[in-house]
Structure formats: C-alpha cells, structure tokens
Amino acid sequence: MEFGMQVSTVLEIKNLSAEGYYSVAGCRGLQLRVTKYGKEFYYRYTWQGKRVLLKIGNMKSVSLSDAKKRTFELAELVAKGINPKEKKKLQRAG
C-alpha cells in the first residue's frame, strides 16, 4: 500500500473510507492504516537503514491523542538507540 495524504483531526479520520496509509499531521512517524476491517495506528521509523512499522493499536482502543503520545515515547526510544519492536518482543517473552 502507498503512503498517502495527511490527516489532522479525529473528524477527518472518522470520515476516511479509502483504504491505504495516511500520515497524521503534527506527529512525525504516526501513520493511520485504513482497511475494510477498520482503522489502526502505526509508528513508522527507520532502524538500521530499513523502514519499520510498529502497530500502536486500533481506533476502537486507542484515541488519536494517545496514539500521538505513544509515538513520541517510541521516537525517544529510537533516539536512544533502542529498537521499539525488539523491546516489545522482549517484554512479551517475559
């Protein structure tokens, strides 16, 4: 899927129906994925030269403001040299 236009408000997000990825304005790396099954937030970042998508949650369980806060937290990890995806795997393992 292509990464498309920007959205900035909850109303704009709720009105989206075309499938694809959308950048959320005002929050670098926050992406919204729209599918026929629903809408999900992702953090998009670069790790060791590769693009990575990390799921934050769906719109039913995560608000736009919470997704933005989580994105800032994840960006801080990347800035410290910690891969958020690997950290998440380690936390699940035990």
Side-chain angles (χ1 to χ4, degrees):
M1 285 188 183
E2 289 294 317
F3 289 84
M5 62 182 231
Q6 283 195 345
V7 293
S8 59
T9 65
V10 175
L11 184 59
E12 284 179 333
I13 292 171
K14 284 184 180 180
N15 289 333
L16 288 175
S17 59
E19 290 188 16
Y21 285 90
Y22 299 85
S23 296
V24 177
C27 192
R28 185 177 182 173
L30 182 57
Q31 303 287 316
L32 176 72
R33 179 181 179 203
V34 178
T35 67
K36 62 183 176 183
Y37 303 108
K39 297 171 184 170
E40 302 171 322
F41 291 110
Y42 286 85
Y43 174 51
R44 184 178 185 212
Y45 63 101
T46 303
W47 186 257
Q48 298 178 345
K50 296 182 181 179
R51 283 291 202 185
V52 182
L53 277 177
L54 179 64
K55 185 176 177 178
I56 296 173
N58 63 41
M59 283 216 42
K60 293 179 183 176
S61 62
V62 179
S63 68
L64 177 59
S65 61
D66 288 341
K68 286 182 177 183
K69 289 176 191 172
R70 185 72 180 127
T71 299
F72 288 125
E73 292 168 3
L74 295 169
E76 287 179 5
L77 289 176
V78 172
K80 292 177 183 176
I82 300 168
N83 185 348
K85 199 165 201 169
E86 291 299 318
K87 183 176 181 183
K88 188 175 181 179
K89 284 181 187 177
L90 290 173
Q91 286 176 338
R92 284 185 179 170

